[in-house]
Amino acid sequence: ATGRRTSSATRDPLARLDLIVSRLDPLMEEVKKGKRRDQFLETEILAITGALSLGMADEAADRAERLVTRLEAQPPGDATPGS
């Protein structure tokens, strides 16, 4: 189902990650095209991947949410992180 689930889906770290990836995907396309830069992007992606590989889905979801929030707050073309 494609309906929006706000209660149980947001508590499940894998469901959170699924929602975050849908927000992160267009931002990553902008990064690939050079329209958006973040000096900590590679480090954060590696940390998210590492957390997932260690079974730490909550940590991965938290990190991914912070990354998306930072990228969304940063104007395209800005070479500095949003924090």
Side-chain angles (χ1 to χ4, degrees):
T2 59
R4 224 175 227 220
R5 295 181 190 154
T6 55
S7 58
S8 62
T10 55
R11 282 186 239 134
D12 175 28
L14 296 179
R16 284 174 54 208
L17 281 167
D18 188 43
L19 293 171
I20 295 162
V21 166
S22 69
R23 290 171 52 201
L24 186 58
D25 189 46
L27 296 169
M28 294 302 294
E29 284 299 317
E30 290 180 3
V31 168
K32 283 196 273 185
K33 292 177 182 176
K35 295 180 181 176
R36 187 178 295 272
R37 294 178 131 327
D38 188 297
Q39 66 186 28
F40 301 110
L41 182 63
E42 185 176 351
T43 302
E44 285 302 312
I45 295 294
L46 288 171
I48 292 163
T49 304
L52 283 172
S53 70
L54 294 172
M56 301 168 58
D58 280 321
E59 174 68 19
D62 289 344
R63 284 184 167 276
E65 283 174 342
R66 287 192 300 268
L67 176 61
V68 167
T69 299
R70 185 171 69 229
L71 287 173
E72 287 176 337
Q74 176 184 335
D78 190 357
T80 59
S83 54

